[in-house]
Amino acid sequence: MSDSSSKPDLSALDFKSATLYAIRVVLHSADLNALTNALDQRMKDAGAFFENEAIVIDATALTENINWKALLKALRAHKLSPIGVMANDKNLESALREGLTAVDLSNAPSKNVAPANTSPNSSSNATQTIDSMAGKTDAVPASTPKENIEPASTTMVIDRPLRSGQRIYAKGGDLIVVGMVSQGAEVIADGNIHVYGPLRGKAMAGARGDTNARIFATQLDPELLAVAGVYRVIEAELEASVRNKPAIVQLQSDKLDILPLDSKG
């Protein structure tokens, strides 16, 4: 006769498969001052775009010793969450001692994380991929074929204005906002974003890498725009043809294009 009281209650815990999206931060220098200065500028330019994101640090190009303790402190000070590392030899060993986990992203999909030219007459100029915190930045296309990105399957409708500090995320689908998106508010969707009202905050479509996603607004005057990770911080006024007018934002050949909505007719 078995003693059932000796068996643990397995219902208290379970294992489920999961996919975690993380941003890869590629290091091109081991110089701590260069890294922290570049990090400060990147985060200033991006506003809150990267805040609270999980990141994987790619130091595979470096042979010089990295001050992991100081680098991790600087990243966390910007509300970034380092969860993994790619590095070689001693750098990998020292990173593991600081609590990072070795990961292999050789077969993982990636997305561009790039700022567009912010001059007022450059809506369709080429973008560059921010794949570094110091050193050279190169244009790199997303490695995931478009046909491998699952299209959005659901739609979230928000029929009220969004105030500063509010964030709405339509996971796995499109987002429709009927009302104003105020400065300081954020709207994020894995699919398309439609704003029937002034878009004055941040809008990020294709959050999980869908390069076919678009942003539609009846009155465009945003702080930040992003599609599949390619983003533009709006520091100067947009062109007169799109500012405070109906417009569409889309990716075209890895460039963020902002076009009058009537140009698509």
Side-chain angles (χ1 to χ4, degrees), residues 21 53 111 169-170 188-191 204-210 213 226-229:
Y21 181 81
E53 290 278 8
K111 74 175 182 180
Y169 173 36
I188 307 168
D190 290 343
M204 310 168 200
R208 291 184 178 271
D210 184 357
V227 176

Side-chain angles (χ1 to χ4, degrees), residues 4-5 16 28 43 105 130 140 160 165 167-168 183 189 193 201 213 228 251 259:
S4 60
S5 62
K16 300 287 186 179
H28 292 291
M43 296 301 290
L105 299 182
I130 298 178
V140 180
R160 65 181 187 278
R167 172 186 285 190
I168 300 295
Q183 286 186 338
I193 293 176
L251 280 182
L259 303 170

